[in-house]
Amino acid sequence: MTTPAQDAPLVFPSVAFRPVRLLAICAALTALAIIAAAAAGPYLMFGVFFGIGLALGLLNAVLVQRSVESITAGDHPLKRKMALNSATRLLVISVIGLAIAILFRPLGLGVLFGLALFQVLLVLSTALPVWKKMRTGDDVDLTATPGAAGSADEAPKD
């Protein structure tokens, strides 16, 4: 008898997620956005809202990491629990971003641009190390849980 998909155990690949590095990149991008927005005229707040969007994206990524660790630490982690957690978290982040964008329009739209750019940064910062490791021919452990011995979490820091 097969296990229904929603009741199947979760298996997450170990990824090279480094929130401190992402925080530094977000801070630098926020500073650049504020400088560029101020130089463009009375648009300083667009840069500030852009930074808020980056911060919301980073908060979401850290919350994803924590929820994955807590859910997979259980005896029987279920996809349903992860899906509900993700949907709730994304709903809250989206409502906050949209509320800021609407209340402070047109400059508040910077929040949405910040959220979108953060997703690109997150994908690049996690996919590039894995791609590099695959190209060098090293074994990639796709069944390791985050923080497990030998996982990509313990990769040398740049």
Side-chain angles (χ1 to χ4, degrees), residues 38-63:
Y43 303 111
L44 174 70
M45 288 307 292
F46 182 86
V48 172
F49 287 127
F50 182 81
I52 292 171
L54 289 171
L56 284 172
L58 183 60
L59 174 67
N60 182 46
V62 170
L63 291 176

Side-chain angles (χ1 to χ4, degrees), residues 15-122:
V15 293
F17 176 67
R18 297 187 180 129
V20 175
R21 179 186 287 177
L22 282 172
L23 176 64
I25 293 170
C26 288
L29 287 173
T30 299
L32 287 173
I34 289 173
I35 291 168
Y43 303 111
L44 174 70
M45 288 307 292
F46 182 86
V48 172
F49 287 127
F50 182 81
I52 292 171
L54 289 171
L56 284 172
L58 183 60
L59 174 67
N60 182 46
V62 170
L63 291 176
V64 166
Q65 181 185 32
R66 288 187 180 171
S67 69
V68 167
E69 288 172 355
S70 68
I71 290 172
T72 57
D75 292 335
H76 301 288
L78 299 177
K79 290 179 184 178
R80 183 181 314 156
K81 188 173 182 181
M82 180 58 90
L84 182 61
N85 181 291
S86 294
T88 304
R89 189 182 56 258
L90 289 175
L91 177 67
V92 170
I93 296 287
S94 297
V95 166
I96 291 170
L98 287 172
I100 292 171
I102 291 169
L103 290 174
F104 298 100
R105 68 178 178 255
L107 300 178
L109 289 173
V111 170
L112 301 180
F113 286 107
L115 279 166
L117 181 62
F118 182 81
Q119 294 307 311
V120 172
L121 288 173
L122 182 64

Side-chain angles (χ1 to χ4, degrees), residues 144-155:
T145 57
S151 70
D153 291 336
E154 297 175 356

